[in-house]
Amino acid sequence: MISSLRLGPGAEFDRLRAIFARLGSEGQGLGDDTALVRLGGTTLAASVDLSLEGVHFHTAWLSFAEIGWRATAAALSDLAAEGAKPVGILVSLGVPGGRGKGEEGRGDPGVEIMGGVAAAAKHVGAKVLGGDLVRAERYLVDVCVLGTAVRPVRRSGARPGDGVWVTGALGGAALALDGFRSGAPPMGALRRRFARPEPRIAAGRWLARHGARAMIDISDGLAADAGQLAAASGLALEIELERIPCWAGVAPRAAAASGEEYELLVALPRGFGDRSARAFTRASGLALTAIGRCAAGRGVRLTAAGRTVPAPGGFDHFAAR
């Protein structure tokens, strides 16, 4: 069994490569969206995702319930990318002492955060199974999700000739973030896109049942996450910028850079076409758009009107600022 997948470029992934090397033979199946453990006739899928105040969220922008939902949705999105069914959630919660600045009238922050966690769990049919609570200098929500997978879909299964498809529309999360940063908080559907993202659980399970070869959720940006899928599968992804489905008011290049979208990028066999995509939409209520293909080579080739253009970078926790 492979001890770890090939990772794409970036300071964050350089550090992960060093960690994997230090783990040596004690590391197993590292580098994908989830860990898979065979338990009798069941495959357990497990993942963990940490959200830290000032990095992943700001209490001035979101309610505590939204912070809990958002952190949980980010972790559940990893199960979606595996084609897994969520079962349970565990949370380690860090909360500052006292009520904290600007929290008057909002209830106990820890209770409100966990209310958001519970709502996200209920939304996908999972249960909150337990966790840990500590006093911390900043709010911290560390979410572990557990699920089961009948046909797990790794990042590493794409083949040359496969089509590259994406669910939903991209760019809304970045558009909302721009609004928060500029002092014009988004409203309505755009706010929900940022504050209450939808983990694509049903979509991921449908795609797994219908032949998905490789899949990844879009957390660091389409172009960046495409690079991770390409590296894991040992090939190149060719993506046409003009085919990327965009949130209203977002240009394709901005959509390709937008992180925390939690849509699914998936490689599907050549025979999967428009008819199959329409069946997906009927089943999930989401659009599924062909944006390119897998080819021999390495990395991501982004084109506009047939010409290669530089791919935008994605989020990297350890990139030089």
Side-chain angles (χ1 to χ4, degrees):
M1 186 176 287
I2 297 173
S3 60
S4 62
L5 294 182
R6 288 165 291 196
L7 300 175
E12 178 179 346
F13 301 102
D14 289 342
R15 179 161 288 188
L16 285 173
R17 274 183 279 268
I19 291 170
F20 294 173
R22 175 60 63 88
L23 292 174
S25 62
E26 300 307 311
Q28 187 71 60
L30 305 173
D32 214 307
D33 286 294
T34 72
L36 297 178
V37 181
R38 191 74 177 168
L39 299 174
T42 300
T43 298
L44 175 70
S47 187
V48 63
D49 200 284
L50 185 149
S51 292
L52 179 65
E53 182 185 6
V55 177
H56 301 93
F57 62 86
H58 295 273
T59 57
W61 294 356
L62 302 175
S63 72
F64 287 112
E66 288 171 335
I67 289 166
W69 175 290
R70 196 167 185 272
T72 306
L76 287 167
S77 187
D78 287 336
L79 293 185
E82 202 70 39
K85 176 184 177 181
V87 174
I89 293 168
L90 299 120
V91 179
S92 290
L93 181 63
V95 180
R99 297 201 58 79
K101 182 179 178 181
E103 293 166 8
E104 296 82 358
R106 291 209 276 178
D108 180 272
V111 172
E112 294 299 311
I113 289 170
M114 289 307 299
V117 170
K122 182 178 180 180
H123 184 71
V124 300
K127 298 293 185 182
V128 180
L129 303 177
D132 194 17
L133 176 65
V134 298
R135 181 170 177 160
E137 293 183 3
R138 288 189 281 174
Y139 290 101
L140 180 153
V141 190
D142 194 18
V143 182
C144 174
V145 290
L146 305 172
T148 58
V150 175
R151 182 186 178 274
V153 183
R154 308 302 264 167
R155 299 178 183 182
S156 53
R159 305 174 190 172
D162 286 348
V164 177
W165 300 72
V166 69
T167 63
L170 306 179
L175 189 62
L177 181 60
D178 287 345
F180 281 118
R181 285 174 169 168
S182 66
M187 305 294 287
L190 186 59
R191 179 187 175 86
R192 289 192 297 275
R193 178 69 172 187
F194 184 87
R196 290 175 65 91
E198 296 270 350
R200 301 306 192 191
I201 298 295
R205 295 181 69 196
W206 191 98
L207 291 164
R209 290 194 305 271
H210 290 82
R213 292 234 173 96
M215 195 152 50
I216 188 171
D217 70 317
I218 299 174
S219 55
D220 294 334
L222 170 67
D225 289 319
Q228 296 304 321
L229 192 150
S233 291
L235 43 63
L237 263 62
E238 298 178 349
I239 296 174
E240 299 175 44
L241 199 61
E242 54 268 36
R243 298 180 71 176
I244 295 173
C246 302
W247 192 275
V250 177
R253 184 172 177 81
S258 181
E260 298 183 321
E261 293 286 342
Y262 303 119
E263 297 293 350
L264 299 176
L265 179 69
V266 55
L268 288 156
R270 197 191 308 264
F272 188 101
D274 292 340
R275 182 176 179 180
S276 299
R278 289 192 295 271
F280 169 87
T281 299
R282 288 193 298 271
S284 68
L286 291 172
L288 183 64
T289 306
I291 60 171
R293 70 184 189 96
C294 299
R298 296 176 60 187
V300 177
R301 180 173 179 253
L302 195 63
T303 63
R307 294 188 175 185
T308 301
V309 296
F315 183 77
D316 186 330
H317 283 282
F318 300 98
R321 299 286 188 244

